[in-house]
Amino acid sequence: MLEKIKVLLGIKDDLQDEVLDILIDNVSSHLKALIGKDLPEELSFIVQEIVIRRFNRIGTEGMKSEAVEGHTVTFYDLKDEFVPYEDIINSYRVNPEEPKRGKVMFI
């Protein structure tokens, strides 16, 4: 996953690997908590896309928007990062079991 992210970001050296590894771990843990189980491989694209967003935001954390000489950039709130993927995430989410009734057997 690290190599794919580096290609998408245009990073050709190993100088940012430690930062990217931390971001991958954080986003993976967050997504794992949302679905309630280990991440299936088919959800790795979500981790990749969010890691790229977080990497590009380094130094601007906490900002909602930035305007420089007529160029405006608006950022997702961290709490809304997974919103575009909610339908996909919900389809993988572990549903808590409903309370079951016990059985009584007479012998």
Side-chain angles (χ1 to χ4, degrees):
M1 181 178 307
L2 176 64
E3 291 305 316
K4 287 181 181 181
I5 291 170
K6 286 171 67 172
V7 168
L8 291 169
L9 289 169
I11 298 173
K12 299 187 186 310
D13 56 32
D14 298 334
L15 299 175
Q16 302 296 323
D17 285 6
E18 189 174 345
V19 172
L20 289 171
D21 283 336
I22 292 169
L23 290 173
I24 290 167
D25 185 51
N26 288 349
V27 173
S28 296
S29 295
H30 190 160
L31 186 54
K32 183 178 176 181
L34 288 174
I35 65 171
K37 60 182 178 179
D38 287 336
L39 294 180
E41 182 63 32
E42 55 268 20
L43 295 184
S44 65
F45 78 96
I46 296 173
V47 174
Q48 291 172 21
E49 291 178 8
I50 292 176
V51 165
I52 290 169
R53 284 189 208 138
R54 285 192 184 181
F55 181 82
N56 287 330
R57 258 188 104 160
I58 290 176
T60 59
E61 294 90 344
M63 291 177 45
K64 291 193 180 240
S65 65
E66 177 181 34
V68 178
E69 296 182 12
H71 178 74
T72 302
V73 178
T74 304
F75 301 106
Y76 279 109
D77 279 338
L78 289 179
K79 66 180 178 65
D80 295 331
E81 282 183 319
F82 291 92
V83 170
Y85 311 102
E86 274 183 347
D87 291 338
I88 298 167
I89 292 168
N90 288 336
S91 70
Y92 283 89
R93 187 169 276 150
V94 172
N95 295 327
E97 291 186 28
E98 294 180 18
K100 296 180 181 178
R101 294 184 155 212
K103 292 182 182 179
V104 176
M105 294 180 61
F106 296 98
I107 301 179

